[in-house]
Amino acid sequence: MDTIEVRTAAISVTDEFQALREGNRSDGATAMFVGSVRDFNAGAGVDGLTLEHYPGMTEKSLQRIVDSARARWDLGRVRVIHRVGAMQVEDSIVFVGVTCAHRQAAFSACQYLMDRLKTEAPFWKLESRETGKAWVAARDSDRLELQKWS
């Protein structure tokens, strides 16, 4: 069962974890990743972040990423919740959670989903920095992480 949601509302990690586990008696492993707005990037202080996306296209892209993870691992539940709009430092941006029978597959699938999401999902990030606003480009390090799954 997949849940893919792009929204402006805050992410409750507790609620998302409960949704993964509720009534889920067959999966013994749950792995999660939560990404948050941090207070620095590229050598400058960050005051906030605004994420933009193309509705419809973004969700389809996220579903393709989830489908590719399902093709690699026998996953139970998958939840990908991504925020858009204006956020402050410490706000959660993304929640990725997976369940499956065993921990190693859960860890691997969760990391795979994040590596693909960071490089392929159509989100545009505008940081509010102490030096002004700046669009954030994809990092070479993220592309290098993705290569290990080839």
Side-chain angles (χ1 to χ4, degrees), residues 69-105:
R70 285 195 170 283
R72 288 175 170 257
W73 296 278
D74 185 18
L75 302 177
R77 295 181 181 175
V78 177
R79 292 184 77 77
V80 177
I81 313 296
H82 208 297
R83 288 191 61 198
V84 293
M87 288 167 268
Q88 301 301 312
V89 172
E90 296 184 5
D91 284 353
S92 296
I93 302 169
V94 61
F95 174 96
V96 172
V98 300
T99 68
C100 57
H102 304 287
R103 73 180 182 280
Q104 197 56 47

PDB file of all heavy atoms in Angstrom, residues 69-105:
ATOM      1  N   ALA A  69      11.362   1.112  -6.485  1.00  0.00           N
ATOM      2  CA  ALA A  69      11.784   0.494  -5.217  1.00  0.00           C
ATOM      3  C   ALA A  69      11.046  -0.823  -5.007  1.00  0.00           C
ATOM      4  O   ALA A  69      11.641  -1.826  -4.578  1.00  0.00           O
ATOM      5  CB  ALA A  69      11.526   1.442  -4.049  1.00  0.00           C
ATOM      6  N   ARG A  70       9.768  -0.855  -5.312  1.00  0.00           N
ATOM      7  CA  ARG A  70       8.991  -2.093  -5.169  1.00  0.00           C
ATOM      8  C   ARG A  70       9.518  -3.187  -6.086  1.00  0.00           C
ATOM      9  O   ARG A  70       9.443  -4.366  -5.759  1.00  0.00           O
ATOM     10  CB  ARG A  70       7.516  -1.822  -5.445  1.00  0.00           C
ATOM     11  CG  ARG A  70       6.836  -1.095  -4.308  1.00  0.00           C
ATOM     12  CD  ARG A  70       5.317  -1.172  -4.451  1.00  0.00           C
ATOM     13  NE  ARG A  70       4.692  -0.685  -3.242  1.00  0.00           N
ATOM     14  CZ  ARG A  70       4.592  -1.360  -2.111  1.00  0.00           C
ATOM     15  NH1 ARG A  70       5.088  -2.571  -2.023  1.00  0.00           N
ATOM     16  NH2 ARG A  70       3.999  -0.836  -1.057  1.00  0.00           N
ATOM     17  N   ALA A  71      10.059  -2.803  -7.234  1.00  0.00           N
ATOM     18  CA  ALA A  71      10.620  -3.796  -8.158  1.00  0.00           C
ATOM     19  C   ALA A  71      11.904  -4.410  -7.604  1.00  0.00           C
ATOM     20  O   ALA A  71      12.264  -5.530  -7.961  1.00  0.00           O
ATOM     21  CB  ALA A  71      10.889  -3.154  -9.520  1.00  0.00           C
ATOM     22  N   ARG A  72      12.591  -3.706  -6.704  1.00  0.00           N
ATOM     23  CA  ARG A  72      13.857  -4.179  -6.132  1.00  0.00           C
ATOM     24  C   ARG A  72      13.667  -4.956  -4.827  1.00  0.00           C
ATOM     25  O   ARG A  72      14.443  -5.856  -4.536  1.00  0.00           O
ATOM     26  CB  ARG A  72      14.785  -3.004  -5.844  1.00  0.00           C
ATOM     27  CG  ARG A  72      15.373  -2.372  -7.071  1.00  0.00           C
ATOM     28  CD  ARG A  72      16.184  -1.125  -6.665  1.00  0.00           C
ATOM     29  NE  ARG A  72      16.942  -0.630  -7.773  1.00  0.00           N
ATOM     30  CZ  ARG A  72      18.248  -0.812  -7.935  1.00  0.00           C
ATOM     31  NH1 ARG A  72      18.944  -1.479  -7.034  1.00  0.00           N
ATOM     32  NH2 ARG A  72      18.873  -0.332  -8.981  1.00  0.00           N
ATOM     33  N   TRP A  73      12.702  -4.538  -4.021  1.00  0.00           N
ATOM     34  CA  TRP A  73      12.502  -5.128  -2.691  1.00  0.00           C
ATOM     35  C   TRP A  73      11.040  -5.501  -2.505  1.00  0.00           C
ATOM     36  O   TRP A  73      10.140  -4.876  -3.068  1.00  0.00           O
ATOM     37  CB  TRP A  73      12.905  -4.135  -1.589  1.00  0.00           C
ATOM     38  CG  TRP A  73      14.354  -3.791  -1.616  1.00  0.00           C
ATOM     39  CD1 TRP A  73      15.380  -4.530  -1.086  1.00  0.00           C
ATOM     40  CD2 TRP A  73      14.952  -2.628  -2.178  1.00  0.00           C
ATOM     41  NE1 TRP A  73      16.578  -3.891  -1.298  1.00  0.00           N
ATOM     42  CE2 TRP A  73      16.343  -2.718  -1.962  1.00  0.00           C
ATOM     43  CE3 TRP A  73      14.454  -1.502  -2.843  1.00  0.00           C
ATOM     44  CZ2 TRP A  73      17.232  -1.745  -2.389  1.00  0.00           C
ATOM     45  CZ3 TRP A  73      15.338  -0.530  -3.278  1.00  0.00           C
ATOM     46  CH2 TRP A  73      16.715  -0.659  -3.039  1.00  0.00           C
ATOM     47  N   ASP A  74      10.805  -6.503  -1.675  1.00  0.00           N
ATOM     48  CA  ASP A  74       9.454  -6.933  -1.340  1.00  0.00           C
ATOM     49  C   ASP A  74       8.955  -6.051  -0.191  1.00  0.00           C
ATOM     50  O   ASP A  74       9.101  -6.401   0.982  1.00  0.00           O
ATOM     51  CB  ASP A  74       9.472  -8.414  -0.946  1.00  0.00           C
ATOM     52  CG  ASP A  74       8.079  -8.953  -0.698  1.00  0.00           C
ATOM     53  OD1 ASP A  74       7.100  -8.320  -1.141  1.00  0.00           O
ATOM     54  OD2 ASP A  74       7.975 -10.011  -0.045  1.00  0.00           O
ATOM     55  N   LEU A  75       8.393  -4.919  -0.537  1.00  0.00           N
ATOM     56  CA  LEU A  75       7.977  -3.929   0.451  1.00  0.00           C
ATOM     57  C   LEU A  75       6.518  -4.112   0.839  1.00  0.00           C
ATOM     58  O   LEU A  75       5.699  -4.513   0.014  1.00  0.00           O
ATOM     59  CB  LEU A  75       8.184  -2.513  -0.103  1.00  0.00           C
ATOM     60  CG  LEU A  75       9.613  -2.179  -0.531  1.00  0.00           C
ATOM     61  CD1 LEU A  75       9.666  -0.774  -1.125  1.00  0.00           C
ATOM     62  CD2 LEU A  75      10.571  -2.308   0.641  1.00  0.00           C
ATOM     63  N   GLY A  76       6.227  -3.800   2.078  1.00  0.00           N
ATOM     64  CA  GLY A  76       4.846  -3.800   2.545  1.00  0.00           C
ATOM     65  C   GLY A  76       4.201  -2.453   2.237  1.00  0.00           C
ATOM     66  O   GLY A  76       3.572  -2.267   1.208  1.00  0.00           O
ATOM     67  N   ARG A  77       4.438  -1.488   3.110  1.00  0.00           N
ATOM     68  CA  ARG A  77       3.873  -0.147   2.943  1.00  0.00           C
ATOM     69  C   ARG A  77       4.978   0.856   2.627  1.00  0.00           C
ATOM     70  O   ARG A  77       6.104   0.720   3.094  1.00  0.00           O
ATOM     71  CB  ARG A  77       3.156   0.287   4.218  1.00  0.00           C
ATOM     72  CG  ARG A  77       1.957  -0.582   4.517  1.00  0.00           C
ATOM     73  CD  ARG A  77       1.260  -0.127   5.765  1.00  0.00           C
ATOM     74  NE  ARG A  77       0.116  -0.996   6.029  1.00  0.00           N
ATOM     75  CZ  ARG A  77      -0.630  -0.909   7.100  1.00  0.00           C
ATOM     76  NH1 ARG A  77      -0.373   0.000   8.027  1.00  0.00           N
ATOM     77  NH2 ARG A  77      -1.656  -1.734   7.269  1.00  0.00           N
ATOM     78  N   VAL A  78       4.605   1.846   1.842  1.00  0.00           N
ATOM     79  CA  VAL A  78       5.519   2.937   1.511  1.00  0.00           C
ATOM     80  C   VAL A  78       4.757   4.251   1.695  1.00  0.00           C
ATOM     81  O   VAL A  78       3.634   4.389   1.209  1.00  0.00           O
ATOM     82  CB  VAL A  78       6.035   2.840   0.055  1.00  0.00           C
ATOM     83  CG1 VAL A  78       6.935   4.032  -0.273  1.00  0.00           C
ATOM     84  CG2 VAL A  78       6.773   1.525  -0.177  1.00  0.00           C
ATOM     85  N   ARG A  79       5.380   5.186   2.413  1.00  0.00           N
ATOM     86  CA  ARG A  79       4.805   6.528   2.593  1.00  0.00           C
ATOM     87  C   ARG A  79       5.850   7.554   2.188  1.00  0.00           C
ATOM     88  O   ARG A  79       6.955   7.560   2.720  1.00  0.00           O
ATOM     89  CB  ARG A  79       4.388   6.784   4.039  1.00  0.00           C
ATOM     90  CG  ARG A  79       3.208   5.939   4.478  1.00  0.00           C
ATOM     91  CD  ARG A  79       2.763   6.286   5.880  1.00  0.00           C
ATOM     92  NE  ARG A  79       1.995   7.515   5.953  1.00  0.00           N
ATOM     93  CZ  ARG A  79       0.725   7.653   5.598  1.00  0.00           C
ATOM     94  NH1 ARG A  79       0.067   6.621   5.121  1.00  0.00           N
ATOM     95  NH2 ARG A  79       0.113   8.805   5.727  1.00  0.00           N
ATOM     96  N   VAL A  80       5.481   8.402   1.245  1.00  0.00           N
ATOM     97  CA  VAL A  80       6.321   9.525   0.841  1.00  0.00           C
ATOM     98  C   VAL A  80       5.464  10.779   0.993  1.00  0.00           C
ATOM     99  O   VAL A  80       4.481  10.953   0.276  1.00  0.00           O
ATOM    100  CB  VAL A  80       6.822   9.379  -0.610  1.00  0.00           C
ATOM    101  CG1 VAL A  80       7.628  10.614  -1.023  1.00  0.00           C
ATOM    102  CG2 VAL A  80       7.651   8.112  -0.779  1.00  0.00           C
ATOM    103  N   ILE A  81       5.831  11.607   1.952  1.00  0.00           N
ATOM    104  CA  ILE A  81       5.133  12.857   2.215  1.00  0.00           C
ATOM    105  C   ILE A  81       6.138  13.981   1.996  1.00  0.00           C
ATOM    106  O   ILE A  81       7.201  13.991   2.628  1.00  0.00           O
ATOM    107  CB  ILE A  81       4.582  12.930   3.667  1.00  0.00           C
ATOM    108  CG1 ILE A  81       3.845  11.639   4.046  1.00  0.00           C
ATOM    109  CG2 ILE A  81       3.746  14.179   3.861  1.00  0.00           C
ATOM    110  CD1 ILE A  81       2.612  11.331   3.248  1.00  0.00           C
ATOM    111  N   HIS A  82       5.836  14.898   1.106  1.00  0.00           N
ATOM    112  CA  HIS A  82       6.759  15.994   0.801  1.00  0.00           C
ATOM    113  C   HIS A  82       6.016  17.313   0.893  1.00  0.00           C
ATOM    114  O   HIS A  82       4.934  17.465   0.344  1.00  0.00           O
ATOM    115  CB  HIS A  82       7.346  15.829  -0.603  1.00  0.00           C
ATOM    116  CG  HIS A  82       8.696  16.438  -0.749  1.00  0.00           C
ATOM    117  ND1 HIS A  82       8.933  17.790  -0.603  1.00  0.00           N
ATOM    118  CD2 HIS A  82       9.894  15.875  -1.034  1.00  0.00           C
ATOM    119  CE1 HIS A  82      10.212  18.030  -0.792  1.00  0.00           C
ATOM    120  NE2 HIS A  82      10.815  16.880  -1.049  1.00  0.00           N
ATOM    121  N   ARG A  83       6.611  18.241   1.598  1.00  0.00           N
ATOM    122  CA  ARG A  83       6.003  19.560   1.734  1.00  0.00           C
ATOM    123  C   ARG A  83       6.426  20.476   0.600  1.00  0.00           C
ATOM    124  O   ARG A  83       7.494  20.336   0.027  1.00  0.00           O
ATOM    125  CB  ARG A  83       6.419  20.194   3.057  1.00  0.00           C
ATOM    126  CG  ARG A  83       5.739  19.524   4.239  1.00  0.00           C
ATOM    127  CD  ARG A  83       5.907  20.274   5.503  1.00  0.00           C
ATOM    128  NE  ARG A  83       5.314  21.610   5.423  1.00  0.00           N
ATOM    129  CZ  ARG A  83       5.606  22.592   6.256  1.00  0.00           C
ATOM    130  NH1 ARG A  83       6.494  22.395   7.223  1.00  0.00           N
ATOM    131  NH2 ARG A  83       5.029  23.762   6.148  1.00  0.00           N
ATOM    132  N   VAL A  84       5.562  21.430   0.308  1.00  0.00           N
ATOM    133  CA  VAL A  84       5.852  22.531  -0.598  1.00  0.00           C
ATOM    134  C   VAL A  84       5.386  23.811   0.083  1.00  0.00           C
ATOM    135  O   VAL A  84       4.686  23.765   1.092  1.00  0.00           O
ATOM    136  CB  VAL A  84       5.158  22.363  -1.972  1.00  0.00           C
ATOM    137  CG1 VAL A  84       5.741  21.187  -2.736  1.00  0.00           C
ATOM    138  CG2 VAL A  84       3.657  22.215  -1.829  1.00  0.00           C
ATOM    139  N   GLY A  85       5.796  24.929  -0.482  1.00  0.00           N
ATOM    140  CA  GLY A  85       5.445  26.215   0.105  1.00  0.00           C
ATOM    141  C   GLY A  85       6.563  26.712   1.002  1.00  0.00           C
ATOM    142  O   GLY A  85       7.687  26.207   0.974  1.00  0.00           O
ATOM    143  N   ALA A  86       6.232  27.721   1.814  1.00  0.00           N
ATOM    144  CA  ALA A  86       7.228  28.350   2.684  1.00  0.00           C
ATOM    145  C   ALA A  86       7.419  27.540   3.966  1.00  0.00           C
ATOM    146  O   ALA A  86       6.449  27.102   4.576  1.00  0.00           O
ATOM    147  CB  ALA A  86       6.783  29.769   3.023  1.00  0.00           C
ATOM    148  N   MET A  87       8.686  27.359   4.340  1.00  0.00           N
ATOM    149  CA  MET A  87       9.041  26.640   5.560  1.00  0.00           C
ATOM    150  C   MET A  87      10.134  27.391   6.300  1.00  0.00           C
ATOM    151  O   MET A  87      10.908  28.132   5.692  1.00  0.00           O
ATOM    152  CB  MET A  87       9.516  25.229   5.223  1.00  0.00           C
ATOM    153  CG  MET A  87       8.397  24.316   4.781  1.00  0.00           C
ATOM    154  SD  MET A  87       9.017  22.801   4.039  1.00  0.00           S
ATOM    155  CE  MET A  87       9.058  23.309   2.328  1.00  0.00           C
ATOM    156  N   GLN A  88      10.184  27.145   7.590  1.00  0.00           N
ATOM    157  CA  GLN A  88      11.190  27.761   8.445  1.00  0.00           C
ATOM    158  C   GLN A  88      12.252  26.732   8.819  1.00  0.00           C
ATOM    159  O   GLN A  88      12.046  25.528   8.687  1.00  0.00           O
ATOM    160  CB  GLN A  88      10.522  28.308   9.727  1.00  0.00           C
ATOM    161  CG  GLN A  88       9.431  29.334   9.461  1.00  0.00           C
ATOM    162  CD  GLN A  88       9.962  30.535   8.701  1.00  0.00           C
ATOM    163  OE1 GLN A  88      10.990  31.103   9.049  1.00  0.00           O
ATOM    164  NE2 GLN A  88       9.266  30.915   7.639  1.00  0.00           N
ATOM    165  N   VAL A  89      13.371  27.224   9.324  1.00  0.00           N
ATOM    166  CA  VAL A  89      14.428  26.347   9.822  1.00  0.00           C
ATOM    167  C   VAL A  89      13.829  25.404  10.862  1.00  0.00           C
ATOM    168  O   VAL A  89      13.009  25.809  11.682  1.00  0.00           O
ATOM    169  CB  VAL A  89      15.579  27.187  10.421  1.00  0.00           C
ATOM    170  CG1 VAL A  89      16.589  26.304  11.127  1.00  0.00           C
ATOM    171  CG2 VAL A  89      16.247  28.010   9.324  1.00  0.00           C
ATOM    172  N   GLU A  90      14.202  24.154  10.801  1.00  0.00           N
ATOM    173  CA  GLU A  90      13.771  23.033  11.640  1.00  0.00           C
ATOM    174  C   GLU A  90      12.467  22.394  11.182  1.00  0.00           C
ATOM    175  O   GLU A  90      12.121  21.314  11.662  1.00  0.00           O
ATOM    176  CB  GLU A  90      13.668  23.406  13.125  1.00  0.00           C
ATOM    177  CG  GLU A  90      14.998  23.780  13.749  1.00  0.00           C
ATOM    178  CD  GLU A  90      14.887  24.052  15.237  1.00  0.00           C
ATOM    179  OE1 GLU A  90      13.807  23.869  15.828  1.00  0.00           O
ATOM    180  OE2 GLU A  90      15.910  24.445  15.823  1.00  0.00           O
ATOM    181  N   ASP A  91      11.714  23.011  10.265  1.00  0.00           N
ATOM    182  CA  ASP A  91      10.505  22.361   9.756  1.00  0.00           C
ATOM    183  C   ASP A  91      10.886  21.097   8.986  1.00  0.00           C
ATOM    184  O   ASP A  91      11.905  21.065   8.289  1.00  0.00           O
ATOM    185  CB  ASP A  91       9.741  23.285   8.802  1.00  0.00           C
ATOM    186  CG  ASP A  91       8.975  24.389   9.500  1.00  0.00           C
ATOM    187  OD1 ASP A  91       8.904  24.382  10.750  1.00  0.00           O
ATOM    188  OD2 ASP A  91       8.453  25.272   8.787  1.00  0.00           O
ATOM    189  N   SER A  92      10.062  20.079   9.079  1.00  0.00           N
ATOM    190  CA  SER A  92      10.265  18.863   8.291  1.00  0.00           C
ATOM    191  C   SER A  92       9.817  19.120   6.860  1.00  0.00           C
ATOM    192  O   SER A  92       8.738  19.651   6.629  1.00  0.00           O
ATOM    193  CB  SER A  92       9.474  17.701   8.880  1.00  0.00           C
ATOM    194  OG  SER A  92       9.958  17.385  10.167  1.00  0.00           O
ATOM    195  N   ILE A  93      10.670  18.725   5.926  1.00  0.00           N
ATOM    196  CA  ILE A  93      10.381  18.888   4.494  1.00  0.00           C
ATOM    197  C   ILE A  93       9.815  17.603   3.911  1.00  0.00           C
ATOM    198  O   ILE A  93       8.890  17.617   3.119  1.00  0.00           O
ATOM    199  CB  ILE A  93      11.662  19.234   3.712  1.00  0.00           C
ATOM    200  CG1 ILE A  93      12.303  20.496   4.229  1.00  0.00           C
ATOM    201  CG2 ILE A  93      11.374  19.339   2.218  1.00  0.00           C
ATOM    202  CD1 ILE A  93      13.699  20.741   3.663  1.00  0.00           C
ATOM    203  N   VAL A  94      10.419  16.472   4.296  1.00  0.00           N
ATOM    204  CA  VAL A  94      10.073  15.204   3.660  1.00  0.00           C
ATOM    205  C   VAL A  94      10.073  14.085   4.697  1.00  0.00           C
ATOM    206  O   VAL A  94      10.899  14.070   5.613  1.00  0.00           O
ATOM    207  CB  VAL A  94      11.044  14.882   2.493  1.00  0.00           C
ATOM    208  CG1 VAL A  94      12.471  14.743   2.969  1.00  0.00           C
ATOM    209  CG2 VAL A  94      10.608  13.648   1.717  1.00  0.00           C
ATOM    210  N   PHE A  95       9.138  13.173   4.521  1.00  0.00           N
ATOM    211  CA  PHE A  95       9.072  11.935   5.298  1.00  0.00           C
ATOM    212  C   PHE A  95       9.025  10.796   4.293  1.00  0.00           C
ATOM    213  O   PHE A  95       8.164  10.779   3.403  1.00  0.00           O
ATOM    214  CB  PHE A  95       7.814  11.901   6.166  1.00  0.00           C
ATOM    215  CG  PHE A  95       7.615  10.590   6.889  1.00  0.00           C
ATOM    216  CD1 PHE A  95       8.053  10.441   8.191  1.00  0.00           C
ATOM    217  CD2 PHE A  95       7.000   9.512   6.265  1.00  0.00           C
ATOM    218  CE1 PHE A  95       7.889   9.229   8.862  1.00  0.00           C
ATOM    219  CE2 PHE A  95       6.819   8.307   6.922  1.00  0.00           C
ATOM    220  CZ  PHE A  95       7.268   8.173   8.224  1.00  0.00           C
ATOM    221  N   VAL A  96       9.946   9.851   4.427  1.00  0.00           N
ATOM    222  CA  VAL A  96       9.925   8.629   3.637  1.00  0.00           C
ATOM    223  C   VAL A  96       9.956   7.467   4.620  1.00  0.00           C
ATOM    224  O   VAL A  96      10.843   7.401   5.472  1.00  0.00           O
ATOM    225  CB  VAL A  96      11.124   8.553   2.663  1.00  0.00           C
ATOM    226  CG1 VAL A  96      11.192   7.186   1.999  1.00  0.00           C
ATOM    227  CG2 VAL A  96      11.021   9.643   1.616  1.00  0.00           C
ATOM    228  N   GLY A  97       8.985   6.587   4.511  1.00  0.00           N
ATOM    229  CA  GLY A  97       8.926   5.427   5.380  1.00  0.00           C
ATOM    230  C   GLY A  97       8.550   4.189   4.599  1.00  0.00           C
ATOM    231  O   GLY A  97       7.744   4.258   3.674  1.00  0.00           O
ATOM    232  N   VAL A  98       9.175   3.078   4.959  1.00  0.00           N
ATOM    233  CA  VAL A  98       8.866   1.795   4.324  1.00  0.00           C
ATOM    234  C   VAL A  98       8.757   0.713   5.382  1.00  0.00           C
ATOM    235  O   VAL A  98       9.392   0.787   6.438  1.00  0.00           O
ATOM    236  CB  VAL A  98       9.938   1.389   3.279  1.00  0.00           C
ATOM    237  CG1 VAL A  98      10.047   2.414   2.176  1.00  0.00           C
ATOM    238  CG2 VAL A  98      11.280   1.147   3.921  1.00  0.00           C
ATOM    239  N   THR A  99       7.951  -0.280   5.083  1.00  0.00           N
ATOM    240  CA  THR A  99       7.894  -1.480   5.916  1.00  0.00           C
ATOM    241  C   THR A  99       8.134  -2.689   5.027  1.00  0.00           C
ATOM    242  O   THR A  99       7.841  -2.667   3.828  1.00  0.00           O
ATOM    243  CB  THR A  99       6.535  -1.656   6.626  1.00  0.00           C
ATOM    244  OG1 THR A  99       5.526  -1.950   5.659  1.00  0.00           O
ATOM    245  CG2 THR A  99       6.162  -0.420   7.431  1.00  0.00           C
ATOM    246  N   CYS A 100       8.704  -3.719   5.635  1.00  0.00           N
ATOM    247  CA  CYS A 100       8.881  -4.994   4.949  1.00  0.00           C
ATOM    248  C   CYS A 100       9.211  -6.045   5.999  1.00  0.00           C
ATOM    249  O   CYS A 100       9.220  -5.758   7.198  1.00  0.00           O
ATOM    250  CB  CYS A 100       9.930  -4.912   3.844  1.00  0.00           C
ATOM    251  SG  CYS A 100      11.522  -4.362   4.353  1.00  0.00           S
ATOM    252  N   ALA A 101       9.482  -7.223   5.554  1.00  0.00           N
ATOM    253  CA  ALA A 101       9.697  -8.323   6.492  1.00  0.00           C
ATOM    254  C   ALA A 101      10.972  -8.159   7.307  1.00  0.00           C
ATOM    255  O   ALA A 101      10.992  -8.476   8.497  1.00  0.00           O
ATOM    256  CB  ALA A 101       9.724  -9.656   5.734  1.00  0.00           C
ATOM    257  N   HIS A 102      12.041  -7.654   6.686  1.00  0.00           N
ATOM    258  CA  HIS A 102      13.346  -7.639   7.348  1.00  0.00           C
ATOM    259  C   HIS A 102      14.024  -6.282   7.257  1.00  0.00           C
ATOM    260  O   HIS A 102      13.820  -5.538   6.305  1.00  0.00           O
ATOM    261  CB  HIS A 102      14.258  -8.713   6.740  1.00  0.00           C
ATOM    262  CG  HIS A 102      13.655 -10.074   6.807  1.00  0.00           C
ATOM    263  ND1 HIS A 102      13.550 -10.779   7.986  1.00  0.00           N
ATOM    264  CD2 HIS A 102      13.088 -10.846   5.845  1.00  0.00           C
ATOM    265  CE1 HIS A 102      12.960 -11.937   7.748  1.00  0.00           C
ATOM    266  NE2 HIS A 102      12.668 -11.998   6.459  1.00  0.00           N
ATOM    267  N   ARG A 103      14.886  -5.979   8.213  1.00  0.00           N
ATOM    268  CA  ARG A 103      15.477  -4.653   8.360  1.00  0.00           C
ATOM    269  C   ARG A 103      16.373  -4.231   7.207  1.00  0.00           C
ATOM    270  O   ARG A 103      16.352  -3.082   6.806  1.00  0.00           O
ATOM    271  CB  ARG A 103      16.233  -4.539   9.680  1.00  0.00           C
ATOM    272  CG  ARG A 103      17.536  -5.286   9.725  1.00  0.00           C
ATOM    273  CD  ARG A 103      18.250  -5.137  11.070  1.00  0.00           C
ATOM    274  NE  ARG A 103      19.511  -5.834  11.058  1.00  0.00           N
ATOM    275  CZ  ARG A 103      19.665  -7.132  11.234  1.00  0.00           C
ATOM    276  NH1 ARG A 103      18.613  -7.898  11.440  1.00  0.00           N
ATOM    277  NH2 ARG A 103      20.871  -7.673  11.198  1.00  0.00           N
ATOM    278  N   GLN A 104      17.196  -5.134   6.676  1.00  0.00           N
ATOM    279  CA  GLN A 104      18.146  -4.720   5.651  1.00  0.00           C
ATOM    280  C   GLN A 104      17.435  -4.190   4.417  1.00  0.00           C
ATOM    281  O   GLN A 104      17.833  -3.170   3.850  1.00  0.00           O
ATOM    282  CB  GLN A 104      19.099  -5.859   5.285  1.00  0.00           C
ATOM    283  CG  GLN A 104      20.332  -5.374   4.553  1.00  0.00           C
ATOM    284  CD  GLN A 104      21.107  -4.313   5.340  1.00  0.00           C
ATOM    285  OE1 GLN A 104      21.366  -4.474   6.519  1.00  0.00           O
ATOM    286  NE2 GLN A 104      21.478  -3.238   4.691  1.00  0.00           N
ATOM    287  N   ALA A 105      16.379  -4.858   4.004  1.00  0.00           N
ATOM    288  CA  ALA A 105      15.604  -4.387   2.853  1.00  0.00           C
ATOM    289  C   ALA A 105      14.941  -3.043   3.173  1.00  0.00           C
ATOM    290  O   ALA A 105      14.890  -2.157   2.319  1.00  0.00           O
ATOM    291  CB  ALA A 105      14.564  -5.420   2.453  1.00  0.00           C
TER     292      ALA A 105
END
